[in-house]
Amino acid sequence: MSFEFFNDGTHRCVRFDDLAGEGEVQTNQTIIIHGERGVLLEPGGNKLFSRLVAEMSTYIPPQKLDYIILSHQDPDVGAGLNGYLLITDARICFPSIWLRFIPAFCTKSLAMERVISIPDEGMRLDLNGAELILLPAHFLHSSGNIHVYDVVSKTLFSSDLGAAMLPPDKHYVKVEDFDAHVQYMEGFHKRYIPSGKACRQWAAMVRQLDIERIVPQHGPMFEGKEMVARFIDWVSGLKCGLDYLAEGGAYRIPAA
Ligand code: FE
């Protein structure tokens, strides 16, 4: 189902959240359109390609995509990239430390001259006159990870940070009750987000931005200043990943 969560007449943001098949990881794909041009965030895996192209085409022809942004190197983020290289002229934005991985999931000759290497410190992109800020979010969770802040809609796309795994009988696109929602984020963050130190430094950075909503790559979004503040507060106090590594003996050789 597509969900248009911002539209001021010139600038639109549309999220697609149910293109994965049953039993696969649920992922969110987003297009940001400014005037006639667009950007696709986190295109997703191979299986999504034809469905996403069909859904997206009701908003913008894929040929009008200027950029495709991958927040990190995971297969659910961009394993289907090759298809988009064939049908668009979009530039591919990818964290610099993962550039060498591109030939592993798409045709090198198609990709390399179209890649924008996102430096560790992040960068700004111009989308047909609208600004996107690519923020450093390394170790949240990938060691080369970026988040995207859309200045016009004041939306922060937070990659795997804020990801939630909802049970099969639950589906909501926005978090209405933060306390009730935490249970669906906790397990994921404890294991997939490596460090509370990274979380605290991220919170300090994003508190400087004017954010209306946070959209993770999995699960519902956090809408409105109050919900955004609750989420950032939660992240800033998070204990996760290495924080749980047992002192003096986390790793043991499995018994024979
Ligand atoms: Fe990931």
Side-chain angles (χ1 to χ4, degrees):
M1 188 181 70
S2 64
F3 174 50
E4 184 175 66
F5 58 86
F6 185 88
N7 187 347
D8 69 1
T10 306
H11 193 85
R12 303 171 78 182
C13 302
V14 183
R15 195 190 81 157
F16 307 92
D17 72 352
D18 63 350
L19 301 176
E22 206 173 312
E24 297 167 21
V25 182
Q26 184 274 331
T27 56
N28 299 323
Q29 291 74 43
T30 305
I31 49 171
I32 302 171
I33 302 168
H34 192 77
E36 290 279 284
R37 309 299 302 183
V39 54
L40 170 62
L41 306 180
E42 321 280 45
N46 267 313
K47 286 186 177 171
L48 264 61
F49 174 72
S50 52
R51 273 175 276 170
L52 180 56
V53 168
E55 292 266 345
M56 180 170 44
S57 300
T58 65
Y59 296 92
I60 188 172
Q63 295 75 19
K64 294 196 170 181
L65 291 177
D66 284 349
Y67 305 104
I68 297 173
I69 302 178
L70 279 67
S71 66
H72 60 296
Q73 84 295 356
D74 275 348
D76 62 322
V77 169
L81 190 58
N82 212 46
Y84 299 93
L85 292 175
L86 294 166
I87 65 163
T88 76
D89 293 318
R91 309 284 306 273
I92 313 302
C93 304
F94 205 40
S96 60
I97 71 160
W98 298 121
L99 281 193
R100 279 170 297 161
F101 279 48
I102 281 196
F105 57 91
C106 56
T107 313
K108 190 178 179 183
S109 59
L110 278 175
M112 290 322 269
E113 69 276 13
R114 290 165 60 175
V115 167
I116 296 176
S117 169
I118 306 166
D120 264 354
E121 61 270 27
M123 62 184 288
R124 291 176 187 240
L125 276 184
D126 174 67
L127 172 65
N128 197 24
E131 189 170 50
L132 300 176
I133 306 178
L134 311 187
L135 297 158
H138 311 305
F139 307 106
L140 295 168
H141 66 119
S142 166
S143 45
N145 214 127
I146 59 114
H147 292 175
V148 178
Y149 178 67
D150 172 17
V151 173
V152 175
S153 70
K154 301 180 179 175
T155 305
L156 177 65
F157 297 91
S158 63
S159 187
D160 277 312
L161 194 66
M165 303 294 152
L166 297 182
D169 61 330
K170 281 207 172 8
H171 181 266
Y172 46 95
V173 291
K174 293 179 183 178
V175 176
E176 302 291 347
D177 181 340
F178 188 84
D179 293 320
H181 181 68
V182 164
Q183 62 184 307
Y184 305 124
M185 298 193 287
E186 263 175 342
F188 179 89
H189 288 75
K190 276 184 181 172
R191 184 59 201 257
Y192 287 91
I193 300 294
S195 149
K197 180 179 178 184
C199 290
R200 289 190 292 281
Q201 295 198 8
W202 174 87
M205 173 182 70
V206 300
R207 282 194 171 115
Q208 301 167 60
L209 295 167
D210 181 12
I211 303 173
E212 279 298 333
R213 69 193 65 76
I214 293 180
V215 180
Q217 195 213 344
H218 311 275
M221 63 177 73
F222 304 88
E223 177 80 39
K225 290 251 163 29
E226 197 183 317
M227 199 57 86
V228 165
R230 289 228 47 199
F231 176 69
I232 296 172
D233 286 347
W234 180 76
V235 170
S236 70
L238 205 56
K239 190 178 169 194
C240 55
L242 296 177
D243 304 330
Y244 284 100
L245 209 60
E247 286 301 329
Y251 308 116
R252 295 183 203 285
I253 297 166

